[in-house]
Amino acid sequence: MAERILVTSALPYANGPIHIGHAVEYVQTDIYVRFLRSCGKDVVYFCADDTHGTPIEINAAKQGLKPEEFTARWYETHQADFRDLGVSVDYFHSTNSPENKHYAEYIYGQLKKHGDIEKRDIEQAYCEVDKRFLPDRFIKGICPNCKAPDQYGDACEKCGKAYSPTDLSEPRCALCGTPPVRRKSSHLFFKLSRHADFLQETLRKPDFVNPGLATQLQGFFEKGLADWDISRDGPYFGFPIPGETDKYFYVWLDAPIGYIATTEKWAKVTGKAQSALDYWAESSDARIIHFIGKDIVYFHALFWPAVLKVAGLKRPDSVKVHGHLTVNGEKMSKSRGTLIPVRSYLDHLDPSYLRYFYAATLGSGIEDLDLSLKDFRLRVNGELVNNIGNLANRSLSMLAGGALEKRLAPATKAGPGKALVEAALARVPEVREAFEKLEFRNAIRIITEISQSANGFLQNAAPWTRVKTDSEAARADLSDAAEVAYLLGALLTPVIPRVTEKLFAQLNAPPLTFEALATARYPLLDRGRPVGTPEPLLPRLEEDRVNAILGQPAAAPAEPAKEGKKDGKAGKKAAEPKPAEAKVAEAKPTEAAPGEIDITDFGKVVLKVGKVLAAERVPKADKLLKLTVDLGEEQPRTICSGIAEAFQPEQVQGRKVVVVANLKPRMLRGIESRGMILTAGPGGKDLSLLDPGDMPPGSEVK
């Protein structure tokens, strides 16, 4: 029997929208799951809404809703976000479900049966106005460490120190502002401390958790594992604890049980398993993999395995942990407008851009990643649109048009085209290994290099010229380039499935999988089948569209600088000349000031639109890129440009630029450079290319 794999993402809390920080995890998980499916693995992917707890109960009341009604609305919203983001869960459930209640009560019963539940009296903050005990996040006060005001009852957002709610100075209820009193209440504790040896052994298992995190978790053992309070006092939205009065399971007890409950529901609905125990029984041979953020490692690497062990259920084989997302180098913030809901992104941009950028940035470690909107736009345009997309479009457009009649050439027995495809196929194991190890950025790097090689092959072969004299040779070159595009479609399907679906349709070829690539040989395409109708796979990302996800319009053109006095104070605005005055000014030009040029001097400069066909670094020149630029002339030009500190070669390939076309050629590092690329900025890493828009190469810029 083939190995069965169950993969989960952390459950989104049904108290607000999914934002682009959450999306890091769901995209990461989805890429991994799609990769496994492409490899022919028996894999299921589950997720669910986390629906219980005081915040949901209170926010529902504020809206005049029952908690069930409140969470049902978010359930529909979250499902729509997952669908439109391309997250391919096999089942999306809710923790407020009969299945979750059943397994929560079953597991609690097992913990109690084995002597791992203990009742203790604890002292808590109690609001006499709201008639409730106050959880950590519903009490505020002064941090006992740094004295910062207005801090929550679990940790200080300023100094980062964790503490107990009773440690706060000048505490107050976060709901009504009234100082709370202290009251005793009986709570139920899971004896986590009894399982220290088992957990130490679990942390030592290969691939269970990132080694650095395993080391960090040792701190909990050094100071002694604390037993876990698994109960909450009413009023509370959650499952009542059997045999107790006005006590409810703490949300962190039943939330991870949601993984099991979702498996149970999926089994009932699809009939593909008898029950959740097909995967979660201790004797099951299935592999269980959790994807989570680094802020909830304690629950998944310590509390959850211990609970499963006592309950006699299967423990996770691996917990994959990622870092957090920053936007433009800063922590996501509502006040800064960078806490961006996924829906706000989807209202403006195709999800494929974000999925590609996350893949190109994610490794297997827990370091944070930054969504710099400038880097996002440049990288997507440079790699995905201008490199990978351009390869597919330029090869298919020529094959589908004119004398080539949508026919592929027969496979060649030898030659540079066959060598190109075979070299690309030889790199497939590298890509596969990178996906397996969650080194997605390495996979994207290799994929980009394959595409660059194919674009370079086309540039050297110049089929757009050869088609006039030897159409069959041009057809052969384009067909081999299309082979590489087909291969890239297979490699990128886990990342951008909607784009590669279009590519396969344009090639008129069935989807290509990693499983098929394991034994694939040249040629990959059925050379007797005509190609489909080509069109650009994705448009370029424009700055105003990217900025729109922040709710900010694109920057308006700067106003002309106003003349002022030397002390910096603005002078009066000069009156606009009347038509007659303007005419006189034309007739009698003033003498040029030092440093000024005459209009006739400027008229000597010829500016044209160019398209960068290829780009590479100049050896032993840190600042230079060697560019092959189409200016609408018979042959592309070679231009050396000092932009290598600001741009990678793949970021400029395929871009439109503004070129000084009549500059005298000069030798740079032994290369004749025939032109200059116009940029803006102070230099070094801070440069932007001037974008002439969608004008064709050779268009004059005035």
Side-chain angles (χ1 to χ4, degrees):
M1 176 183 282
E3 180 189 35
R4 294 174 304 157
I5 305 171
L6 186 151
V7 181
T8 73
S9 295
L11 312 187
Y13 202 40
N15 193 35
I18 293 173
H19 58 65
I20 58 172
H22 298 136
V24 171
E25 180 173 307
Y26 303 125
V27 168
Q28 182 188 39
T29 315
D30 186 67
I31 290 173
Y32 183 68
V33 168
R34 287 181 183 272
F35 164 71
L36 293 178
R37 290 175 183 149
S38 183
C39 292
K41 301 292 186 181
D42 182 353
V43 57
V44 288
Y45 174 21
F46 298 137
C47 195
D49 263 349
D50 181 5
T51 58
H52 292 155
T54 302
I56 284 175
E57 175 211 343
I58 291 174
N59 286 331
K62 287 179 180 178
Q63 297 187 25
L65 298 172
K66 294 180 179 179
E68 293 85 354
E69 296 170 331
F70 179 78
T71 56
R73 293 184 180 183
W74 287 118
Y75 179 77
E76 297 301 325
T77 299
H78 290 175
Q79 280 196 300
D81 288 346
F82 271 50
R83 180 190 65 240
D84 295 345
L85 194 58
V87 177
S88 57
V89 290
D90 288 281
Y91 204 89
F92 188 81
H93 202 24
S94 166
T95 59
N96 191 44
S97 66
E99 295 82 13
N100 209 43
K101 185 173 186 292
H102 165 75
Y103 278 102
E105 291 177 351
Y106 169 78
I107 288 174
Y108 171 73
Q110 292 297 107
L111 302 182
K112 192 173 181 180
K113 174 183 174 182
H114 288 89
D116 277 274
I117 298 296
E118 183 178 276
K119 184 176 289 189
R120 302 176 190 169
D121 287 341
I122 64 170
E123 192 172 61
Q124 291 180 281
Y126 182 84
C127 180
E128 294 181 311
V129 174
D130 293 299
K131 306 297 183 187
R132 65 166 61 242
F133 286 99
L134 299 176
D136 299 344
R137 287 268 147 174
F138 285 84
I139 182 170
K140 284 189 170 185
I142 298 173
C143 171
N145 181 54
C146 70
K147 311 306 179 187
D150 206 35
Q151 297 303 312
Y152 287 110
D154 55 353
C156 177
E157 293 182 336
K158 185 173 182 180
C159 71
K161 184 176 177 61
Y163 43 72
S164 169
T166 54
D167 294 333
L168 285 174
S169 301
E170 300 181 17
R172 67 185 188 280
C173 173
L175 299 173
C176 67
T178 303
V181 298
R182 293 190 182 186
R183 286 192 181 180
K184 287 187 177 181
S185 176
S186 293
H187 276 228
L188 299 167
F189 285 77
F190 169 60
K191 295 181 180 179
L192 185 64
S193 56
R194 296 177 61 180
H195 306 285
D197 291 343
F198 159 73
L199 292 172
Q200 288 275 31
E201 180 184 346
T202 300
L203 291 175
R204 287 192 291 268
K205 288 183 178 178
D207 300 325
F208 175 71
V209 74
N210 179 282
L213 283 173
T215 300
Q216 290 181 27
L217 289 169
Q218 292 302 316
F220 290 103
F221 296 94
E222 291 168 4
K223 62 184 179 182
L225 281 180
D227 294 338
W228 192 255
D229 187 347
I230 63 165
S231 63
R232 289 297 183 266
D233 297 285
Y236 190 84
F237 181 48
F239 296 134
I241 299 178
E244 301 293 331
T245 302
D246 203 28
K247 302 292 180 186
Y248 296 81
F249 288 126
Y250 176 40
V251 61
W252 263 110
L253 177 86
D254 70 63
I257 294 172
Y259 301 138
I260 303 175
T262 304
T263 312
E264 181 77 15
K265 182 67 173 180
W266 167 81
K268 290 179 182 177
V269 170
T270 65
K272 294 182 178 180
Q274 291 184 347
S275 74
L277 296 181
D278 285 9
Y279 288 86
W280 290 94
E282 195 164 22
S283 59
S284 170
D285 61 356
R287 186 152 58 103
I288 295 174
I289 302 171
H290 294 316
F291 280 77
I292 62 168
K294 63 183 180 181
D295 55 326
I296 55 174
V297 173
Y298 179 90
F299 303 102
H300 284 79
L302 298 179
F303 175 68
W304 179 229
V307 166
L308 291 170
K309 170 183 174 289
V310 178
L313 296 171
K314 184 175 177 60
R315 278 80 72 190
D317 296 273
S318 185
V319 180
K320 309 295 186 183
V321 185
H322 61 82
H324 294 155
L325 181 75
T326 58
V327 177
N328 289 331
E330 296 182 343
K331 184 178 178 181
M332 287 193 295
S333 163
K334 286 184 180 180
S335 61
R336 293 191 185 100
T338 54
L339 192 68
I340 306 167
V342 162
R343 184 53 52 186
S344 295
Y345 173 92
L346 293 171
D347 284 344
H348 295 94
L349 298 175
D350 190 298
S352 301
Y353 298 122
L354 191 66
R355 290 177 63 100
Y356 180 87
F357 182 81
Y358 282 168
T361 310
L362 278 165
S364 61
I366 59 170
E367 65 270 19
D368 293 344
L369 59 154
D370 184 52
L371 178 61
S372 160
L373 295 187
K374 178 183 176 182
D375 290 348
F376 169 58
R377 179 170 55 85
L378 292 178
R379 185 156 198 174
V380 165
N381 285 342
E383 294 179 6
L384 180 57
V385 179
N386 296 339
N387 185 6
I388 297 166
N390 186 51
L391 171 67
N393 191 55
R394 68 198 300 209
S395 57
L396 289 174
S397 294
M398 289 197 66
L399 279 170
L404 300 185
E405 301 173 342
K406 292 190 174 184
R407 289 191 297 110
L408 293 168
T412 58
K413 294 183 179 180
K418 180 183 179 184
L420 171 77
V421 179
E422 290 179 338
L425 278 168
R427 303 206 70 182
V428 170
E430 296 178 64
V431 179
R432 181 173 184 138
E433 182 181 21
F435 276 125
E436 285 174 344
K437 293 182 175 179
L438 298 185
E439 288 291 345
F440 295 167
R441 58 192 174 202
N442 284 346
I444 295 298
R445 175 183 57 79
I446 298 163
I447 289 167
T448 303
E449 289 172 357
I450 293 171
S451 181
Q452 287 173 334
S453 296
N455 276 306
F457 164 79
L458 276 184
Q459 188 58 37
N460 292 329
W464 45 85
T465 300
R466 294 183 75 182
V467 72
K468 302 173 185 177
T469 57
D470 189 346
S471 62
E472 288 308 307
R475 188 194 311 278
D477 292 336
L478 291 165
S479 298
D480 288 331
E483 291 266 335
V484 178
Y486 188 38
L487 171 61
L488 292 173
L491 302 182
L492 282 168
T493 289
V495 180
I496 45 172
R498 295 177 186 175
V499 174
T500 58
E501 184 180 358
K502 293 180 186 177
L503 175 58
F504 294 144
Q506 292 178 27
L507 287 164
N508 192 24
L512 185 60
T513 65
F514 275 92
E515 185 177 24
L517 285 173
T519 56
R521 299 290 183 271
Y522 174 86
L524 299 172
L525 288 166
D526 179 354
R527 295 301 185 95
R529 180 181 296 183
V531 297
T533 303
E535 62 180 25
L537 296 174
L538 277 174
R540 280 173 54 84
L541 271 180
E542 301 301 334
E543 186 175 5
D544 58 343
R545 292 181 62 205
V546 174
N547 287 342
I549 69 175
L550 294 175
Q552 299 172 349
E559 292 185 4
K562 298 178 182 178
E563 293 184 2
K565 299 179 182 179
K566 291 183 179 179
D567 62 3
K569 294 180 181 179
K572 293 182 180 179
K573 183 178 179 181
E576 293 184 5
K578 297 178 182 179
E581 294 173 333
K583 188 174 183 180
V584 171
E586 288 178 9
K588 298 180 180 180
T590 58
E591 184 179 349
E596 293 181 337
I597 63 172
D598 189 86
I599 186 66
T600 56
D601 295 322
F602 180 74
K604 296 176 184 178
V605 180
V606 176
L607 301 177
K608 288 188 176 182
V609 175
K611 182 176 182 179
V612 181
L613 302 176
E616 60 185 87
R617 291 191 174 277
V618 176
K620 299 182 181 180
D622 295 338
K623 297 182 179 180
L624 288 180
L625 290 184
K626 177 185 174 183
L627 309 178
T628 303
V629 184
D630 178 7
L631 286 174
E633 300 165 334
E634 186 173 342
Q635 295 291 332
R637 294 196 193 189
T638 297
I639 298 175
C640 289
S641 181
I643 59 174
E645 291 180 289
F647 298 94
Q648 297 295 323
E650 60 269 17
Q651 290 179 304
V652 296
Q653 189 165 305
R655 289 193 63 167
K656 298 284 184 66
V657 292
V658 177
V659 179
V660 180
N662 62 335
L663 194 66
K664 183 178 179 180
R666 59 182 298 199
M667 297 299 292
L668 295 171
R669 296 281 182 172
I671 303 168
E672 185 182 55
S673 179
R674 299 180 55 241
M676 177 185 291
I677 307 296
L678 295 190
T679 64
K685 295 181 180 180
D686 298 318
L687 281 178
S688 294
L689 294 172
L690 300 191
D691 188 346
D694 291 329
M695 301 300 294
S699 300
E700 189 173 353
V701 178
K702 298 182 179 180

